[in-house]
């Protein structure tokens, strides 16, 4: 990770309204092209309810380290939400909003599974 990649990703992320934190799965031809913002595709946008994927690499992380990583993940989310609320008056979602989002996602996944392959 260097300044060129950071600047490219920051510019990309700012184009997604309401996007403050998450993981983006990308496919790219070369790392140099990616750093320049050329010839890459977004495979998936993962928001705050997705886990940091590096916690599943048993060669680099233990179960207890994974738990600490999840704790850090949620602390960052809290810090971002708090700053956005204070600085930009972005409202906190209520628990019921979160539950509705999860149920909508569950229903969407069910509808995809029904599609012919």
């Amino acid at each position: 990770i260097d300044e060129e990649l950071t600047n490219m990703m920051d510019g990309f992320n700012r184009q997604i309204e309401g996007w403050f934190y998450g993981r983006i799965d990308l496919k790219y031809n070369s790392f140099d092209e990616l750093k320049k913002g050329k010839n890459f595709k977004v495979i998936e946008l993962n928001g705050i309810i997705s886990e940091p994927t590096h916690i599943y690499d048993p060669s680099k992380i233990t179960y207890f380290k994974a738990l600490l990583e999840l704790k850090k993940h949620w602390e960052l989310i809290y810090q971002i939400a708090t700053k956005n609320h204070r600085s930009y008056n972005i409202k906190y979602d209520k628990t019921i909003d979160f539950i509705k989002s999860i149920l909508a996602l569950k229903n969407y996944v069910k509808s995809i599974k029904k599609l012919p392959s």
Side-chain angles (χ1 to χ4, degrees):
I1 298 173
D2 62 14
E3 188 173 347
E4 186 178 18
L5 179 64
T6 300
N7 290 337
M8 189 287 287
M9 290 305 301
D10 281 348
F12 177 80
N13 288 330
R14 284 190 172 90
Q15 295 177 47
I16 307 169
E17 187 176 337
W19 180 259
F20 301 104
Y21 182 84
R23 185 182 76 244
I24 303 172
D25 297 342
L26 302 171
K27 186 174 185 176
Y28 55 91
N29 293 327
S30 74
F31 196 66
D32 286 333
E33 286 182 333
L34 176 64
K35 287 169 41 169
K36 291 175 178 36
K38 296 180 180 177
N39 298 317
F40 73 93
K41 292 182 181 183
V42 175
I43 306 300
E44 189 174 21
L45 288 174
N46 299 283
I48 64 169
I49 62 171
S50 65
E51 303 95 357
T53 57
H54 68 280
I55 67 171
Y56 297 106
D57 184 351
S59 69
K60 296 182 180 177
I61 197 161
T62 66
Y63 173 75
F64 293 107
K65 285 182 182 176
L67 292 177
L68 289 173
E69 287 296 310
L70 288 171
K71 180 180 180 286
K72 286 189 335 191
H73 173 77
W74 284 102
E75 285 172 347
L76 278 171
I77 292 166
Y78 172 79
Q79 290 171 6
I80 292 166
T82 302
K83 182 173 183 174
N84 283 339
H85 181 72
R86 288 181 186 150
S87 300
Y88 309 109
N89 200 30
I90 295 174
K91 297 187 185 324
Y92 296 119
D93 279 350
K94 295 182 171 119
T95 303
I96 191 67
D97 298 323
F98 180 73
I99 292 168
K100 285 178 181 178
S101 293
I102 295 296
L103 292 174
L105 178 60
K106 184 178 176 182
N107 289 333
Y108 177 71
V109 169
K110 279 183 186 177
S111 70
I112 289 176
K113 288 181 179 179
K114 292 179 183 176
L115 294 174
S117 42

